[in-house]
Amino acid sequence: EGFSLLQFLPVHETVGDHSPYNAISSRALSPAFLSLTVDDVPGLSQEMVTTAAPESWLEKLREGVVRHNSVLPLKIHVLLAAHHAFRAGEASAEALEEFARFQKDNESWLPAYTLFRILIREYEGNPNWAEWRPEHHSVNGAEAWLARHPERAGLEQARDGFAFIQWVAWRQWRAVRAHADARGIHLMGEMASGVGRCSVDVGGHAELLDL
């Protein structure tokens, strides 16, 4: 009570190096801030949260500074579990329609981002695309790789899961903005003035840039 300004850092998603100036996308929101409650995440159950994060572990995570390297993977794990349930029939027709509309409205960046995101998993958390195989240095090359991959179905499911996480983030930030506006609170997010070298923005369009 009494606050008039709330600042978040970093707003954009980071991997490994959590500097806001090394975000992996200029558009994708960080899952670190997301609320993992049944009301806030479609498809989520309390059992998923309890299984992934027993209370004894949560008590440790709540001590001291934020343990980014533990909290972020944990939240992604829970959110992807919720996505699986969401796609398995736990979602309402309205929610499915809203998710599809979100994907359509953000098709200028979301497909390249989700492709980049599963490639980061392919390289065990390394977002430095310059160290990846040559066919992964462009969106077209990576799409061709995915099309012929023997585990394509699973990778596509993970890709849809990362789109789902961005949809959940968009919904939650929209709700936070409405809540803040209603109470006269200004939100300030730390956004980089440029794009990170190890980002989808650079990796997906390296031919346009002087690296």
Side-chain angles (χ1 to χ4, degrees), residues 1-6 180 183-187:
E1 187 175 348
F3 285 99
S4 59
L5 179 68
L6 188 60
R183 287 156 181 77
I185 299 173
H186 298 287
L187 297 177

Side-chain angles (χ1 to χ4, degrees), residues 17 36 100 119 130 145 147 156 175 201 208:
D17 176 0
L36 300 185
L119 284 170
W145 163 83
E156 290 285 12
D201 307 272
L208 302 178

Side-chain angles (χ1 to χ4, degrees), residues 72-98:
L72 191 53
L74 173 61
K75 288 197 171 186
I76 290 175
H77 175 79
V78 174
L79 287 161
L80 290 178
H83 166 259
H84 181 76
F86 179 84
R87 285 300 195 193
E90 298 296 323
S92 66
E94 291 79 10
L96 287 168
E97 181 181 348
E98 184 184 309

Side-chain angles (χ1 to χ4, degrees), residues 54-72:
E55 187 58 36
S56 58
W57 190 25
L58 292 180
E59 288 179 3
K60 291 293 184 183
L61 291 177
R62 291 176 183 133
E63 294 176 358
V65 298
V66 176
R67 294 168 173 80
H68 224 98
N69 290 330
S70 295
V71 172
L72 191 53

Side-chain angles (χ1 to χ4, degrees), residues 15-158:
V15 173
D17 176 0
H18 298 297
S19 164
Y21 305 107
N22 286 327
I24 62 168
S25 168
S26 63
R27 303 291 295 275
L29 297 168
S30 173
F33 293 117
L34 299 189
S35 169
L36 300 185
T37 69
V38 174
D39 292 334
D40 293 325
V41 181
L44 184 67
S45 69
Q46 186 55 46
E47 182 181 2
M48 293 176 193
V49 179
T50 304
T51 300
E55 187 58 36
S56 58
W57 190 25
L58 292 180
E59 288 179 3
K60 291 293 184 183
L61 291 177
R62 291 176 183 133
E63 294 176 358
V65 298
V66 176
R67 294 168 173 80
H68 224 98
N69 290 330
S70 295
V71 172
L72 191 53
L74 173 61
K75 288 197 171 186
I76 290 175
H77 175 79
V78 174
L79 287 161
L80 290 178
H83 166 259
H84 181 76
F86 179 84
R87 285 300 195 193
E90 298 296 323
S92 66
E94 291 79 10
L96 287 168
E97 181 181 348
E98 184 184 309
F99 181 34
R101 187 165 58 250
F102 171 81
Q103 291 175 293
K104 177 67 175 176
D105 291 345
N106 293 277
E107 62 184 359
S108 65
W109 67 274
L110 192 60
Y113 158 76
T114 56
L115 182 61
F116 193 79
R117 203 61 186 77
I118 63 170
L119 284 170
I120 289 176
R121 295 183 80 187
E122 186 77 8
Y123 288 94
E124 299 183 347
N126 180 13
N128 187 358
W129 57 269
E131 297 178 355
W132 298 352
R133 286 156 44 185
E135 64 264 40
H136 295 156
H137 290 186
S138 69
V139 173
N140 290 339
E143 288 283 12
W145 163 83
L146 179 60
R148 63 178 182 270
H149 199 288
E151 299 177 7
R152 178 182 177 182
L155 291 171
E156 290 285 12
Q157 182 181 26

